[in-house]
Amino acid sequence: MKKIVLDTYQDVCCAAADIYAAQLKTKPNSVLGLATGSTPIGLYEELARRYEAKEIDFSKARSFNLDEYYPIEKSHQQSYDYFMHDNFFSKVNLSKHDIPNGEAKDAIAECKRYDEEIAAAGGIDLMLLGIGHNGHIGFNEPSVSYSMGTYLTELTESSITANARFFGKNEVQPTRALTMGIGEIFRSRQIVLIISGEGKAPIAKKLLEGVIHTDVPACFLLLHPNTTVFLDKAAASLC
Ligand code: GLP
């Protein structure tokens, strides 16, 4: 795992955008893994800026998002489907994008469909990740066992609390999600993990001390051959 510490969140987003630009230049029809949460927003803004400036082209690429709440309507403002359209898909020319369907009647069938689509696309070339305060990636929560493929998972209190800030007082917040499994993430040929802000400093420290804590899902990335972690100074302050 390669660790890169940069001064600011903006620097981190630019550096991650450089990796996307290089990937698409080398392989215009890349399969991109995309993430939600507040952390990637700056990266999506930077990629949209570069697209406007004609510096990057997504026309031949396609994408798969990591996860989605379940159940949730796509039109719900807190669905990851809505988030991705709002923050990214509406701003660039990436027309082939897929997200686990939070409206699916049969969650198990939806997980199977998703894995089959990823496999048919040839697997993920470049996967983007954020990290939860408890070390989750996607919605792979700390556990004693980890799934290979996409699955329906129960969210932990920690993740429900962390994401409660996005839901209105009277809105029902989902307690389950569909997420790519650790195996699916791990099969990505390249992974970029972004960690920002002092709130993430404790989990960044735990991840980067080089010990595989099996109750910190992100620690599996320590074994991945091509993962880069970008941290801003605040996130790296305890490292
Ligand atoms: C969410 C997402 C993750 C994301 C994490 C951190 O629950 N499922 O993919 O990395 O939380 O979010 P944030 O960047 O807002 O801290």
Side-chain angles (χ1 to χ4, degrees):
M1 182 188 273
K2 203 161 130 194
K3 169 182 131 188
I4 298 179
V5 180
L6 297 166
D7 279 349
T8 66
Y9 172 64
Q10 193 52 39
D11 294 337
V12 162
C13 293
C14 283
D18 289 345
I19 293 191
Y20 273 78
Q23 173 68 35
L24 288 166
K25 200 157 197 186
T26 313
K27 187 180 174 193
N29 62 343
S30 290
V31 180
L32 307 174
L34 299 177
T36 49
S38 49
T39 308
I41 289 177
L43 169 61
Y44 293 144
E45 283 171 359
E46 177 60 18
L47 290 174
R49 191 197 63 72
R50 292 185 192 199
Y51 167 69
E52 280 296 317
K54 299 194 183 348
E55 293 167 14
I56 194 164
D57 175 27
F58 296 92
S59 62
K60 295 190 173 64
R62 66 175 297 179
S63 70
F64 291 93
N65 262 77
L66 270 171
D67 51 9
E68 175 61 287
Y69 290 113
Y70 187 83
I72 198 161
E73 287 179 5
K74 290 176 195 226
S75 58
H76 192 296
Q77 288 202 7
Q78 295 314 324
S79 79
Y80 287 168
D81 199 285
Y82 189 98
F83 173 100
M84 288 307 300
H85 281 88
D86 201 31
N87 287 290
F88 194 49
F89 299 149
S90 61
K91 298 181 178 165
V92 296
N93 62 341
L94 176 61
S95 55
K96 284 184 281 175
H97 40 72
D98 206 339
I99 300 181
N101 182 4
E103 294 180 353
K105 293 239 155 29
D106 181 343
I108 308 295
E110 172 57 11
C111 293
K112 189 165 175 280
R113 177 200 73 81
Y114 207 62
D115 287 340
E116 285 171 358
E117 287 285 343
I118 295 171
I124 293 167
D125 291 304
L126 175 58
M127 180 86 232
L128 172 66
L129 296 176
I131 188 170
H133 292 97
N134 61 1
H136 75 227
I137 49 176
F139 266 132
N140 291 279
E141 300 281 26
S143 179
V144 290
S145 61
Y146 293 93
S147 174
M148 291 297 288
T150 305
Y151 66 108
L152 175 64
T153 186
E154 299 282 336
L155 304 183
T156 57
E157 270 317 306
S158 156
S159 299
I160 293 169
T161 308
N163 290 333
R165 64 197 150 122
F166 298 118
F167 288 83
K169 276 211 173 75
N170 299 320
E171 280 180 325
V172 179
Q173 186 182 350
T175 57
R176 294 185 295 167
L178 303 172
T179 182
M180 279 185 202
I182 291 286
E184 194 82 78
I185 294 170
F186 203 85
R187 274 195 288 264
S188 307
R189 289 179 269 282
Q190 185 178 1
I191 297 175
V192 167
L193 168 61
I194 298 181
I195 313 181
S196 167
E198 62 179 331
K200 296 279 173 73
I203 193 63
K205 176 178 188 282
K206 199 156 187 190
L207 171 65
L208 292 164
E209 66 193 11
V211 174
I212 297 175
H213 301 279
T214 52
D215 62 345
V216 177
C219 278
F220 287 99
L221 300 173
L222 291 166
L223 300 169
H224 189 272
N226 192 6
T227 290
T228 308
V229 187
F230 290 100
L231 305 102
D232 56 21
K233 272 197 167 155
S237 58
L238 300 175
C239 294

